[in-house]
Amino acid sequence: MPLPNAPTRRPNNSNTRLADKKANNDLLIKGVLCTLIGLGVLVSPHYITSPGMQGIVAQASLVGWFALVLGCAFLGLYAKRRLSAQSKP
């Protein structure tokens, strides 16, 4: 006896709406924080006066770019979810 197909839609009740809203807000917070961290790591070597510390932070530029790209991806996913939620009736 085969298993039934998985449901394609979630029920539209207050619990699922609240869970979706919380997930979207978490995604927004993660996106903003990752973007700020990435920008901070990439821009901070220009403002640090100590040459030793400036070199250490400058070597972490790969981490800064990764955080910036990840934050932008989170923000893009958040925007996509918001736009798709607005287009639904």
Side-chain angles (χ1 to χ4, degrees), residues 28-42:
L28 177 64
I29 291 170
K30 288 176 187 176
V32 168
L33 286 177
C34 281
T35 303
L36 289 176
I37 289 169
L39 286 174
V41 169
L42 291 173

Side-chain angles (χ1 to χ4, degrees), residues 49-66:
T49 56
S50 169
M53 191 64 170
Q54 187 178 18
I56 291 171
V57 176
Q59 289 177 352
S61 65
L62 182 63
V63 176
W65 282 110
F66 179 76

Side-chain angles (χ1 to χ4, degrees), residues 14 16-17 22 32 34 39 42 47 49 56 79 83 86 88:
S14 62
T16 57
R17 285 191 301 269
K22 185 178 182 323
V32 168
C34 281
L39 286 174
L42 291 173
Y47 296 103
T49 56
I56 291 171
L83 291 175
Q86 289 176 355
K88 290 181 181 177

Side-chain angles (χ1 to χ4, degrees), residues 5-6 37 48 68:
N5 293 331
I37 289 169
I48 297 175
L68 183 64

